[in-house]
Amino acid sequence: SCSSDDEDGGSIDKATSLIVGSWACVYQEWTEDGETWSSSYEPSSNYFIQLNEDKSGYMISDSDQLFEIWTWGKKEYFSWVIKEKNGRNFLVTDIYSGEEYQIDKLNSNSLEMTWIDEDYRIYCKFEKVGEK
């Protein structure tokens, strides 16, 4: 069951059930105009996404923005769904009228997603943790 087809969580239903939970960002990488910067974090509520079964959730970010979203330690609430586009699963939110995050890897304790805006790209790696 560990085929490359399942790297992004598999079917929409399977990915939807796998992605529900509390996710702490442990690594973030920004690439713009061919230059790349990165930061690593201890799992905490400073860089955090909560995804609930009812398709609600929230994001928290600190001085580094999480996916270009600055919350200054407060919760940014949103609703979400998993959609398939071009053979890939995406986490689609209603933040800023609809931000989309490509799911690069998803399993029961690890989540990797990429947000792309033209030539600007942000990649984040998350670990599943207890709710904050």
Side-chain angles (χ1 to χ4, degrees):
S1 69
C2 290
S3 73
S4 57
D5 294 348
D6 284 352
E7 279 294 298
D8 66 355
S11 69
I12 289 176
D13 287 344
K14 185 174 177 203
T16 298
S17 68
L18 277 173
I19 208 166
V20 167
S22 305
W23 299 95
C25 181
V26 294
Y27 178 79
Q28 195 168 190
E29 186 178 279
W30 304 266
T31 302
E32 186 171 23
D33 299 327
E35 292 198 48
T36 299
W37 305 266
S38 66
S39 285
S40 295
Y41 315 99
E42 290 299 312
S44 73
S45 58
N46 293 342
Y47 300 98
F48 186 83
I49 296 179
Q50 175 67 39
L51 299 167
N52 301 315
E53 277 188 56
D54 66 0
K55 307 286 194 303
S56 68
Y58 61 84
M59 191 179 294
I60 300 173
S61 64
D62 207 351
S63 54
D64 290 335
Q65 66 268 37
L66 185 58
F67 286 131
E68 201 71 357
I69 295 168
W70 257 307
T71 73
W72 303 108
K74 295 183 173 64
K75 294 177 180 177
E76 172 78 31
Y77 291 93
F78 58 86
S79 60
W80 64 273
V81 296
I82 301 290
K83 288 189 178 169
E84 188 257 319
K85 284 177 43 178
N86 303 324
R88 301 287 325 211
N89 283 338
F90 283 77
L91 173 68
V92 180
T93 72
D94 63 357
I95 297 173
Y96 303 146
S97 308
E99 291 296 327
E100 298 184 349
Y101 308 97
Q102 178 177 300
I103 299 171
D104 303 310
K105 184 177 180 187
L106 172 60
N107 58 44
S108 56
N109 51 17
S110 180
L111 170 62
E112 297 174 25
M113 294 191 293
T114 304
W115 174 82
I116 299 170
D117 185 16
E118 293 178 14
D119 66 342
Y120 186 43
R121 181 180 78 87
I122 301 174
Y123 163 82
C124 290
K125 185 173 185 174
F126 297 88
E127 288 179 6
K128 193 169 245 182
V129 294
E131 190 168 354
K132 301 284 178 197

